[in-house]
Amino acid sequence: MPKKVANQFQSHIAKALQQKDITSFEYELSVPQGLAYFEARISHLKESQQMMVIIRDITEQHKAAESIRQHAYFDSLTSLPNRFLSLDRLSQMLKEAQRSKEKVALLFLDLDDFKKVNDSLGHEVGDKLLIESAKRLQNVLRKEDTVGRLGGDEFIILLRNLNEHHNALSIAEVLLKTFREPFNIDDRELILTLSIGIALYPVNGVVASDLLRNADTAMYQAKGLGRNTYSFFTQEMNIVMQRRFAIEEQMHGALERNEFELYYQPQFDLSNNNMIGAEALLRWHNPTLGNVTPDEFIPIAEHTGLIVPIGQFVIKQALEFLSHWQHKQNKKLTMAVNLSPRQFRDKKLLSLIQKTINDLGIDFKDFELEITEGVLMGGQRYIKDALLEINSLGIKLSMDDFGTGYSSLSYLRQYNFDVLKIDRSFINGITINKSDCDLVKATIAMSHSLGLLVVAEGVETKEQLVLLKELGCDFVQGYYLSKPITAKQLINLKSDFT
């Protein structure tokens, strides 16, 4: 045994013998291989002044216990405190803050569009990005603050002893600035932004669970503001989130309870004033919540994945009604249905459409799928494949809400669209705003040059209708012609307008 190690042994034993009530203890030694851990037991020999010391090497047991502790309290990927340890530290921090009258802030962080990284570049790149994100967070904060990983792409930051120079707002701004610098992962430059929700003790809660929930609520508010920003929790925001949770809760089982119904907004041909088809629109009436608008429930359905079974319901109902409608009117009519980004991940989507159309004996050309730029912006391969299959089946493809995005023209060149729908926000001003009128006129001309038919949404006045006809628009829909109506009302509606 090296002399230095032997001296450490003797020093620990000597200290223990000075305290006669100690019969066993553990200690660590610095050895050439690092640290070693030992247990010593001291026994007095009967009828003798001598003592016996039994020393046992417990290094492996110590390492095993440390490994268990690491897995129990720390995230295996980033080595940050996990959810359990982070919330335990928050509880301790709040007790100390209560005694010292300090302020504490909880920051709830979510990496914007992180899922796209996993989907497009793979989970290995995603994991490396999470590790680097954890390092950046640690580099920004003081040692006394805590950075933890709650799971997935969600992190938590606990700030104690807040003051004028070290406050939640300034820290949030530093974090946003830090993440605007590109990450270099496997020779790729990746830009990843943050959405941050902030809750303060004691204003927004006095226990850990309340602060966490309120910071999470504020984070969703930051997402709604466009991401790459922060938001402080407010009571008004809490009311909004309670409504959101109630909608999500009631949406589960809404299909089985037959709470959804399709309404239809007719479309008319401006060249002859005849009805040529309709757009299917989903409506939801819940006994508890009353009428819930699509603007409220569609994003929640998209987020939870419930949009997939709901979307299947819409397609089947719309096609079944189209078959009945065509037979009743004894003429060709079309049906348009909106598709959300999440529905493209449904592997049963196209087979369901194909089987339903074949079973009903409808012409594929009488069915139209409307998509927005949000579907295309991710550029995922499965979306491109689905669009190619839609084209090969002969189903019409429509670009919805044209003019509200950033890259509509490039998408019109990349994909085989048949119809372009001008967003109602432009139609509203065409009779009073020259720039809106010029924009709609240019859009119609461009679309026709690309071989696309043009639908104007949101026509609400006779003046708008007359001007659209002069500008060469093909089809129109809107409240001036008909609001969305039930299937029965649509069948009885006049087949033209005057």
Side-chain angles (χ1 to χ4, degrees), residues 135-153:
K135 290 178 181 178
R136 285 197 184 185
L137 294 175
Q138 289 174 299
N139 289 338
V140 168
L141 301 175
R142 305 171 303 175
K143 289 183 179 179
E144 57 263 43
D145 297 326
T146 293
V147 185
R149 184 185 176 204
L150 297 178
D153 59 348

Side-chain angles (χ1 to χ4, degrees), residues 115-126 129 185 188 190:
K115 191 176 185 312
K116 290 182 179 178
V117 176
N118 278 340
D119 288 345
S120 57
L121 300 178
H123 287 273
E124 185 178 348
V125 173
L129 202 51
I185 307 292
R188 290 189 182 93
L190 302 175

Side-chain angles (χ1 to χ4, degrees), residues 93-375:
M93 196 181 292
L94 294 179
K95 289 178 182 178
E96 294 172 10
Q98 187 177 21
R99 289 194 298 268
S100 60
K101 307 299 181 184
E102 290 180 358
K103 293 179 181 179
V104 171
L106 188 157
L107 277 60
F108 195 114
L109 281 62
D110 185 89
L111 305 182
D112 297 328
D113 293 324
F114 178 75
K115 191 176 185 312
K116 290 182 179 178
V117 176
N118 278 340
D119 288 345
S120 57
L121 300 178
H123 287 273
E124 185 178 348
V125 173
D127 286 349
K128 291 179 180 179
L129 202 51
L130 288 171
I131 293 169
E132 291 304 313
S133 296
K135 290 178 181 178
R136 285 197 184 185
L137 294 175
Q138 289 174 299
N139 289 338
V140 168
L141 301 175
R142 305 171 303 175
K143 289 183 179 179
E144 57 263 43
D145 297 326
T146 293
V147 185
R149 184 185 176 204
L150 297 178
D153 59 348
E154 294 178 339
F155 294 85
I156 187 175
I157 290 177
L158 310 177
L159 305 175
R160 66 193 336 161
N161 191 24
L162 297 181
N163 53 51
E164 184 179 346
H165 300 292
H166 186 82
N167 58 67
L169 175 59
S170 61
I171 293 297
E173 289 176 340
V174 170
L175 290 169
L176 292 175
K177 182 179 179 181
T178 301
F179 270 73
R180 288 176 187 136
E181 293 293 323
F183 288 85
N184 196 314
I185 307 292
D186 294 342
D187 297 325
R188 290 189 182 93
E189 277 201 349
L190 302 175
I191 296 178
L192 198 67
T193 58
L194 289 174
S195 290
I196 305 174
I198 305 171
L200 303 173
Y201 167 87
V203 180
N204 303 136
V206 294
V207 296
S209 57
D210 287 348
L211 280 175
L212 181 67
R213 182 179 64 253
N214 292 340
D216 187 17
T217 299
M219 185 275 292
Y220 275 106
Q221 173 71 7
K223 293 278 188 187
L225 292 172
R227 307 183 180 191
N228 190 24
T229 189
Y230 58 83
S231 177
F232 282 84
F233 175 79
T234 64
Q235 195 59 42
E236 292 77 11
M237 190 187 304
N238 193 32
I239 294 170
V240 171
M241 291 306 296
Q242 286 175 353
R243 169 74 174 176
R244 175 190 172 92
F245 294 144
I247 290 173
E248 183 175 335
E249 180 184 7
Q250 290 296 321
M251 197 182 299
H252 289 279
L255 267 178
E256 291 76 8
R257 296 189 298 267
N258 296 315
E259 294 175 3
F260 291 111
E261 182 182 5
L262 287 192
Y263 274 53
Y264 302 90
Q265 186 164 47
Q267 298 174 334
F268 295 88
D269 187 336
L270 276 176
S271 67
N272 55 26
N273 298 349
N274 287 332
M275 189 190 307
I276 51 95
E279 177 184 357
L281 300 167
L282 186 61
R283 296 293 182 261
W284 180 24
H285 179 81
N286 176 263
T288 302
L289 302 173
N291 290 321
V292 187
T293 66
D295 287 344
E296 281 190 295
F297 73 79
I298 292 295
I300 297 173
E302 179 82 11
H303 177 74
T304 60
L306 290 171
I307 194 66
V308 172
I310 292 173
Q312 292 173 355
F313 164 82
V314 171
I315 288 169
K316 290 182 70 175
Q317 290 285 312
L319 287 171
E320 287 172 5
F321 172 70
L322 176 62
S323 175
H324 176 68
W325 192 27
Q326 288 182 337
H327 178 73
K328 197 81 173 174
Q329 300 288 344
N330 194 28
K331 68 175 185 179
K332 282 280 193 180
L333 293 159
T334 62
M335 181 62 65
V337 171
N338 288 277
L339 278 187
S340 72
R342 187 71 173 260
Q343 285 176 270
F344 276 88
R345 287 192 231 152
D346 178 15
K347 295 180 180 179
K348 299 177 182 178
L349 173 69
L350 291 177
S351 60
L352 171 73
I353 293 173
Q354 189 172 3
K355 183 179 186 305
T356 306
I357 288 178
N358 285 331
D359 289 346
L360 294 169
I362 302 169
D363 192 330
F364 281 89
K365 293 180 180 178
D366 296 338
F367 190 50
E368 180 182 317
L369 292 173
E370 297 184 1
I371 64 173
T372 63
E373 289 182 54
V375 174

